[in-house]
Amino acid sequence: MKRFKEKMNRFLKKVTNFLEMSLFPADMKCAFCDRDVPDFENNPFCDSCEKEITFNNGNRCLICGEPIDNEAVVCNFCQKHGRSFKKAICPFVYSGKVRTSVLAFKDSNKRYLAKVFAKFIYDAIKSEGIEFNRLTYIPLTVKKKKKRGFNQAELLAKELGNLMKVSPENMFIKTKDVKAQKFSSFQERHDNMIGMYILADVKFKNSDNILIIDDIITTGATVDYCSMLCAKKVANVYIAAIARNKLKEKVDS
Ligand SMILES: [Zn+2]
Ligand SMILES: [Zn+2]
């Protein structure tokens, strides 16, 4: 019996090692390319990739995190329309190597990047002093999740949950996929969302502080809509994503 147990333990250890290796390469390679990096724990990027990374640590909207060129505290969009969430945290600007890596994460199945991105989200949440007791993520439709094999926002939430000792919950359901709505107005985008996302069967407390995870924030319409679904039932809703883009188009017409 003892020998069997030992054998079983050895076998399980091998399986765990194998899984860890395949999900997250343990060698000291840059998170975004094949180059070696000296101190992966503290900086997972090589010099070359780091040049193509923009951290979202300059002046940015106090609410939605959009980078702002002038001294304004809140962006035009948030000033005009307000948001259902209190604050959005995005450690990177969606451009250069971050953009190509987020796309690779989603579309080329580079799941190990969830761990890298989650660590940066974790650091940003800590430095902004955001406190939450419940964690969730923006869902995909059942069809889309089946096609991709995973939901990238859910994976990020799991990795962040590991770091923060909070288990992610499924609070929203996406009922249908619609065409990209990049150039539509605020009202059109909002109307498009009605019925697209609905609340799952969740019990909220009015003392809850919710953190919703998404991969990137483009206009903020999706995270805003999902926040709106639960905002009145809880104390605060916060958002965290890998990256925030800087809006070129005027989308608040
Ligand atoms: Zn690199
Ligand atoms: Zn804003």
Side-chain angles (χ1 to χ4, degrees):
M1 191 62 191
K2 202 179 164 204
R3 280 189 61 192
F4 174 73
K5 257 191 181 170
E6 276 170 9
K7 254 187 175 176
M8 199 60 196
N9 280 340
R10 272 204 301 275
F11 172 70
L12 285 175
K13 185 111 186 88
K14 268 186 188 168
V15 172
T16 317
N17 285 345
F18 173 76
L19 283 175
E20 271 176 6
M21 284 299 286
S22 47
L23 290 174
F24 190 69
D27 52 351
M28 300 290 121
K29 299 280 186 209
C30 169
F32 290 170
C33 74
D34 296 335
R35 292 188 188 90
D36 290 329
V37 287
D39 185 11
F40 187 90
E41 276 297 306
N42 289 311
N43 184 11
F45 310 119
C46 70
D47 292 345
S48 168
C49 287
E50 203 168 13
K51 281 188 196 125
E52 287 185 63
I53 293 171
T54 310
F55 289 92
N56 190 17
N57 55 6
N59 191 38
R60 56 200 184 275
C61 176
L62 198 66
I63 301 170
C64 76
E66 188 192 348
I68 303 178
D69 289 332
N70 53 42
E71 298 297 301
V73 177
V74 174
C75 75
N76 289 338
F77 190 97
C78 289
Q79 259 181 37
K80 192 169 172 185
H81 300 289
R83 297 285 194 179
S84 308
F85 54 85
K86 194 168 184 193
K87 195 174 180 58
I89 307 289
C90 311
F92 298 104
V93 174
Y94 190 58
S95 63
K97 265 274 149 66
V98 170
R99 184 176 169 275
T100 49
S101 300
V102 170
L103 294 174
F105 168 45
K106 283 159 58 167
D107 301 329
S108 305
N109 203 17
K110 292 198 172 178
R111 299 188 197 194
Y112 64 88
L113 283 173
K115 202 167 187 171
V116 175
F117 290 136
K119 176 69 171 61
F120 281 91
I121 293 174
Y122 173 82
D123 290 342
I125 285 171
K126 287 280 166 192
S127 73
E128 297 272 358
I130 302 290
E131 296 204 350
F132 62 93
N133 62 318
R134 296 178 76 178
L135 177 62
T136 187
Y137 48 85
I138 299 293
L140 297 177
T141 56
V142 173
K143 193 176 157 195
K144 187 77 177 272
K145 188 174 171 182
K146 215 173 218 175
K147 197 174 163 201
R148 182 171 289 157
F150 64 103
N151 172 358
Q152 67 280 4
E154 184 180 355
L155 221 56
L156 285 167
K158 274 185 186 156
E159 293 294 351
L160 183 72
N162 286 341
L163 295 169
M164 307 207 76
K165 310 278 179 272
V166 183
S167 299
E169 300 171 63
N170 182 15
M171 291 186 182
F172 308 107
I173 296 166
K174 190 175 187 188
T175 59
K176 56 183 175 180
D177 287 305
V178 295
K179 273 187 253 159
Q181 37 182 332
K182 204 173 168 186
F183 301 107
S184 51
S185 72
F186 173 78
Q187 198 55 46
E188 281 171 333
R189 279 184 289 110
H190 182 87
D191 292 350
N192 250 335
M193 299 262 173
I194 297 171
M196 195 187 341
Y197 293 96
I198 56 172
L199 271 183
D201 186 18
V202 194
K203 298 267 180 295
F204 292 102
K205 282 190 195 147
N206 51 21
S207 57
D208 278 339
N209 285 296
I210 312 275
L211 181 73
I212 306 176
I213 304 289
D214 203 357
D215 51 358
I216 58 158
I217 297 180
T218 310
T219 63
T222 306
V223 288
D224 199 20
Y225 190 83
C226 286
S227 304
M228 188 268 293
L229 291 175
C230 63
K232 288 198 170 72
K233 301 170 193 281
V234 300
N236 293 299
V237 182
Y238 299 100
I239 309 294
I242 301 166
R244 181 74 169 93
N245 76 334
K246 198 165 166 4
L247 294 175
K248 288 188 189 76
E249 288 81 25
K250 197 116 188 80
V251 294
D252 58 346
S253 55

